[in-house]
Amino acid sequence: MTTLIVGGYGSVGRTIAGELATASDGPSSVVVAGRDETKAATVAAELGENVSGIAFDLQRTDLYARVLEDIDHVVMCVDQAGTAFVEACLERGIDYLDVTASDEFFRRVERLDDVARDHGATAVLSVGLAPGVTNLLAKRMTDQLSTVSEIRIGVLLGLGEAFGPAASRWTLERIGREFTVFDAGRSRPVRGFVTPEPIEFPRYGRRRAYSFDFADQHVLHRTLDVPAKTYLCFDSRAVTAAVYGLSRFEVYRPTAEAIGLDRLTGLVSTLSVGGEGFAVSVEVDGQQDSNAKTLLRAIDGEEQSRVTGLVAANVSMAIHGTSVPSGVYHVHEILDSESILDVLRERGYRLTNSEQVRETSNPVTLMS
């Protein structure tokens, strides 16, 4: 089996390539691809003889046939505006996995479900930390409850980590931007980094996080038919408060436009006002028998981009090591969380579980 990693020399792609190249049950060969042939070749040389590097520009649709020849599986680490390349993969019966965090793109790929089924291919979306691990944790807890009323997801990012420019830009352009959430039986608009919510992060304590347009809230609502909301904060309380103030008083977006998003992304990448730690926390409110419960599962550690790479590599191997049906799926729809979480535990990431039982007026909290 040959796996093509598009964007394979970025921080996430490099982790995926390294994991697949060294795994005993990984593909027989790995191809690292990107617009810069020298970078692709350099990473390939570092990873061993079964890894090669090629130049590939996603905008060049005329190259698709040549690049996809003899490829069995594609892992995409580059954001795309359209689905031409996804369609090219699925029409050739090539399995496809995407680490993007854009729900707009997810919706477009979901419409290709019939294409994937007709050609015996599987596409897996929501593969990473958020979305990805958050989806798996949420699905695990909803399965433990008889009814679910709401899912809340908190993401805490360390500002000391060297994020790639694409990831930084994606985050910056969503601050202060309006999006829609499903709440109290109806859709309502909210703005990014404006609506506060106290979130418990076991390593960092209780933090005030703010509404943010992560894809997992939309995906979980579509697939589980449960209201879900996502919130973001940073390890620096001062930066979190400053971003909230700029967003709430509608100063951020005019300022970002005046500076220019590309320039602002460059400026942010030079700052180091926090650590490299991250945390995600997923809380699910619901009912089990006669008890009202809130279940919490959280994970924390360092280098959140590495987690995305580890998850993607292991999902890639899992869909080839098990019988996965053809079609387009989000990760929680076809894989159990425990196999992925076991990998993260082995790599030093900490998982925490807690449960609040509200059988009486005094909740009882159980930790593990």
Side-chain angles (χ1 to χ4, degrees):
M1 184 183 78
T2 300
T3 297
L4 171 71
I5 306 174
V6 182
Y9 50 73
S11 57
V12 172
R14 184 188 292 258
T15 298
I16 297 169
E19 291 292 310
L20 295 181
T22 57
S24 58
D25 54 350
S28 56
S29 60
V30 175
V31 180
V32 173
R35 285 190 287 186
D36 191 320
E37 185 174 12
T38 301
K39 290 182 179 179
T42 299
V43 170
E46 293 172 354
L47 295 178
E49 59 183 16
N50 66 328
V51 183
S52 58
I54 63 169
F56 175 48
D57 186 346
L58 271 170
Q59 305 304 315
R60 294 281 305 277
T61 57
D62 58 305
L63 298 178
Y64 289 179
R66 176 174 63 81
V67 169
L68 292 174
E69 187 175 357
D70 299 324
I71 296 296
D72 303 294
H73 182 64
V74 168
V75 181
M76 177 60 66
C77 304
V78 177
D79 287 338
Q80 303 167 82
T83 60
F85 184 71
V86 187
E87 294 178 61
C89 294
L90 300 181
E91 288 169 353
R92 290 168 171 79
I94 298 171
D95 292 334
Y96 177 89
L97 185 150
D98 203 310
V99 303
T100 188
S102 168
D103 189 57
E104 295 92 336
F105 182 73
F106 286 165
R107 291 172 185 268
R108 296 188 185 104
V109 178
E110 287 169 4
R111 298 187 193 112
L112 301 177
D113 184 65
D114 287 342
V115 176
R117 293 176 186 273
D118 289 345
H119 294 88
T122 301
V124 186
L125 308 173
S126 298
V127 180
L129 180 62
V133 173
T134 53
N135 300 54
L136 292 166
L137 294 177
K139 178 62 163 59
R140 177 80 174 188
M141 288 184 284
T142 59
D143 287 345
Q144 295 172 0
L145 298 170
S146 51
T147 60
V148 176
S149 55
E150 185 179 73
I151 300 169
R152 291 181 301 282
I153 299 169
V155 178
L156 181 149
L157 295 180
L159 293 173
E161 181 171 349
F163 298 103
S168 297
R169 182 187 175 98
W170 186 92
T171 303
L172 290 170
E173 69 183 2
R174 280 163 174 75
I175 295 173
R177 192 175 79 173
E178 187 174 285
F179 62 99
T180 300
V181 297
F182 189 80
D183 187 28
R186 62 184 178 86
S187 296
R188 65 179 179 87
V190 296
R191 285 193 295 119
F193 231 94
V194 170
T195 305
E197 179 72 19
I199 301 289
E200 184 68 32
F201 297 101
R203 176 179 172 183
Y204 295 88
R206 201 160 186 81
R207 294 292 189 96
R208 180 169 289 186
Y210 296 90
S211 50
F212 205 76
D213 194 15
F214 286 113
D216 37 12
Q217 63 192 327
H218 308 301
V219 170
L220 291 169
H221 179 230
R222 285 202 300 278
T223 58
L224 302 181
D225 194 26
V226 175
K229 301 185 185 72
T230 55
Y231 302 89
L232 173 66
C233 65
F234 305 110
D235 60 345
S236 167
R237 294 179 186 270
V239 172
T240 300
V243 174
Y244 164 64
L246 291 171
S247 301
R248 179 187 175 188
F249 295 107
E250 301 188 32
V251 175
Y252 172 82
R253 295 195 72 81
T255 302
E257 290 171 4
I259 296 173
L261 199 54
D262 288 335
R263 186 181 177 196
L264 182 60
T265 300
L267 291 172
V268 168
S269 68
T270 65
L271 300 176
S272 182
V273 291
E276 294 187 354
F278 75 88
V280 296
S281 179
V282 183
E283 293 182 325
V284 179
D285 292 337
Q287 192 85 13
Q288 188 179 51
D289 301 323
S290 60
N291 296 327
K293 289 188 174 183
T294 296
L295 306 181
L296 179 147
R297 297 195 82 177
I299 181 170
D300 61 66
E302 294 189 350
E303 298 180 275
Q304 64 89 15
S305 59
R306 180 169 175 260
V307 173
T308 294
L310 291 172
V311 171
N314 282 276
V315 170
S316 174
M317 290 184 282
I319 65 175
H320 287 286
T322 58
S323 178
V324 177
S326 302
V328 177
Y329 303 93
H330 292 273
V331 67
H332 63 278
E333 295 181 287
I334 58 170
L335 292 179
D336 181 75
S337 63
E338 289 311 304
S339 61
I340 302 298
L341 297 179
D342 284 345
V343 170
L344 298 181
R345 287 189 191 97
E346 291 169 3
R347 301 304 179 91
Y349 295 97
R350 187 180 71 164
L351 281 88
T352 306
N353 303 330
S354 71
E355 177 179 309
Q356 282 190 338
V357 183
R358 296 187 298 279
E359 185 178 13
T360 66
S361 58
N362 297 317
V364 178
T365 301
L366 306 174
M367 298 289 292
S368 65

